[in-house]
Amino acid sequence: AEVLVRWFDSNKKMISPGDFIPIFERNGFIMNLDYYVWEKSCQLIRKWLDEGHNPMPISVNISRVSVYNPRLVELLCGLVEKYQIPSNLFQLELTESAYTTNQSSIKAMMEALQEKGFKVLMDDFGSGYSSLNVLKDLKVDVLKIDMRFLEDTENEARGENILAAVVRMAKWLSLPIVAEGVERNEQVLFLKGIGCEYVQGYYFARPMPVAEYEKLAFASEQKEAFSHDLQKEKGDILNNNSQLELLFSNMAQAVAVLEYGEDGMDLVRVNDAYFDLFGFGDVDDIQGSLDASLTDGDKEILYAAFEAAVESEESGECEVLRHIGDREIWISVKLKYISPVGKRHII
């Protein structure tokens, strides 16, 4: 869960954060508000632990102003020590824009917090103009990307392909990614199809008072439902953290998950047996490997099988002759359709 702040005036009317946060950022009061939210969150975690609950982590936002507070690490460590809570239950969200200036001090601050056991989440990833540079230079624990990313373009399919590429990149980096602002079932299905493990938004729940969250998180019947859903998600072969990970990596048969479309195919992930079959040493070698070293005739056979899988949305299969160095081997290809991604398909 993510902790948010709401302000109700004397008439019980809510003042939007969009109205008061910019004012507090200008007059410096945002640092007081940040600390208030952090302490309230630590008090909540302590309360839940004292009541015998096993709470899930909650994340708090750190404003752009507080990021530059030289005492930030001291303040946050002081809170978790004061309330005797595990730092891994108290996660920290920083917007990507906060990283764009004075990166050396931000990097030092992040590393100090991570050494103390905090997880740092990069909020609004992709909203800035230097996202890849930020990701290259700063070792964050989780990426958060807003689904509004898809609404800001006239070409939704192009946006979906970019989002799928971001998820694929995060998987190569073993970096969890959270999609925010998810409101519709088709968005959930799309995200599941491209292997995004974590989803946040109105589709599941709107912002709620603490008491309502406690009912949702700690009621025994809800805990059973959460457990069932988590086990189901862990069974997804696209999920790098799944219980099937060991099975996937150690299957005797070569397995690959690919994106396929009119412009060809791209590998999302492969298992160890795939590397062994084709004699590859690392991930840089494998892109385009499935249709490489085939005759034109065998390429047509392979692509026809992919088209059959796409058309039926179920399966396809074929046999092709592959040239590997001075060897020739017959490869039996069995395809299982998973889901569409924009104008492409996960197979």
Side-chain angles (χ1 to χ4, degrees):
E2 177 180 353
V3 179
L4 306 174
V5 64
R6 295 292 182 263
W7 182 7
F8 292 90
D9 66 14
S10 56
N11 297 318
K12 303 298 182 183
K13 179 182 178 183
M14 190 185 81
I15 303 172
S16 169
D19 293 332
F20 66 82
I21 293 294
I23 298 173
F24 290 174
E25 286 181 334
R26 288 196 297 270
N27 65 20
F29 187 74
I30 190 68
M31 294 176 67
N32 300 65
L33 180 60
D34 274 352
Y35 190 84
Y36 171 83
V37 173
W38 302 341
E39 183 161 33
K40 284 290 185 182
S41 301
C42 290
Q43 290 171 353
L44 273 175
I45 295 172
R46 182 68 262 162
K47 169 179 173 287
W48 294 335
L49 292 171
D50 290 343
E51 291 173 348
H53 295 304
N54 183 25
M56 289 173 282
I58 59 176
S59 64
V60 297
N61 289 282
I62 298 178
S63 70
R64 287 173 292 184
V65 177
S66 291
V67 163
Y68 297 103
N69 185 344
R71 296 184 58 235
L72 178 62
V73 176
E74 176 189 342
L75 291 172
L76 291 168
C77 290
L79 283 172
V80 297
E81 290 171 7
K82 177 180 179 180
Y83 293 99
Q84 292 295 293
I85 62 172
S87 53
N88 66 300
L89 292 179
F90 185 59
Q91 302 184 348
L92 311 173
E93 294 195 19
L94 288 80
T95 61
E96 184 190 338
S97 58
Y99 299 90
T100 55
T101 56
N102 201 3
Q103 283 197 11
S104 59
S105 62
I106 299 294
K107 182 178 181 181
M109 177 268 293
M110 278 180 49
E111 290 174 349
L113 288 170
Q114 288 167 325
E115 285 176 4
K116 297 293 185 179
F118 292 97
K119 288 191 180 298
V120 179
L121 290 65
M122 181 187 288
D123 202 9
D124 293 332
F125 177 74
S127 60
Y129 292 100
S130 56
S131 302
L132 293 179
N133 277 333
V134 169
L135 197 58
K136 173 176 66 71
D137 297 331
L138 299 173
K139 187 180 178 182
V140 297
D141 297 295
V142 179
L143 295 182
K144 299 189 76 174
I145 188 166
D146 201 306
M147 287 298 287
R148 286 177 299 183
F149 174 83
L150 298 180
E151 298 172 2
D152 296 336
T153 176
E154 295 178 359
N155 189 338
E156 186 172 352
R158 184 180 177 88
E160 287 182 352
N161 285 332
I162 293 173
L163 184 55
V166 171
V167 172
R168 191 162 65 239
M169 174 191 69
K171 286 188 174 297
W172 286 122
L173 297 173
S174 298
L175 194 59
I177 188 165
V178 179
E180 293 186 284
V182 179
E183 299 181 359
R184 304 189 305 275
N185 183 57
E186 57 266 30
Q187 291 176 320
V188 176
L189 295 176
F190 164 73
L191 290 164
K192 189 173 182 180
I194 63 174
C196 182
E197 296 100 342
Y198 302 101
V199 176
Q200 173 181 334
Y202 286 4
Y203 178 80
F204 295 106
R206 290 177 175 269
M208 64 185 72
V210 171
E212 290 185 27
Y213 173 76
E214 290 174 331
K215 290 178 183 177
L216 180 66
F218 303 134
S220 59
E221 64 274 12
Q222 293 292 343
K223 288 178 74 174
E224 290 173 5
F226 274 127
S227 176
H228 173 73
D229 287 345
L230 286 170
Q231 293 303 323
K232 185 171 62 176
E233 288 300 319
K234 288 177 180 177
D236 187 344
I237 202 165
L238 288 175
N239 185 343
N240 251 356
N241 301 317
S242 73
Q243 290 182 328
L244 288 181
E245 175 65 23
L246 189 61
L247 177 63
F248 180 88
S249 295
N250 292 283
M251 286 178 67
Q253 289 181 309
V255 180
V257 181
L258 307 97
E259 276 188 23
Y260 171 77
E262 294 179 356
D263 53 346
M265 60 182 70
D266 295 300
L267 286 164
V268 177
R269 61 180 301 203
V270 301
N271 68 347
D272 292 339
Y274 190 96
F275 280 96
D276 295 338
L277 175 65
F278 296 121
F280 296 128
D282 57 52
V283 295
D284 293 331
D285 295 334
I286 65 175
Q287 286 301 339
S289 60
L290 190 61
D291 60 349
S293 301
L294 299 180
T295 65
D296 289 342
D298 278 342
K299 281 187 179 181
E300 288 182 12
I301 293 172
L302 178 66
Y303 278 84
F306 272 88
E307 288 297 326
V310 170
E311 186 174 345
S312 66
E313 293 191 355
E314 290 185 1
S315 61
E317 59 181 287
C318 67
E319 288 187 354
V320 293
L321 183 62
R322 172 70 185 263
H323 302 269
I324 302 178
D326 56 357
R327 293 187 299 144
E328 288 185 343
I329 60 171
W330 283 98
I331 301 174
S332 175
V333 182
K334 290 178 169 48
L335 306 175
K336 170 66 177 174
Y337 187 89
I338 298 177
S339 67
V341 181
K343 292 185 178 181
R344 309 190 88 205
H345 308 270
I346 298 288
I347 295 178

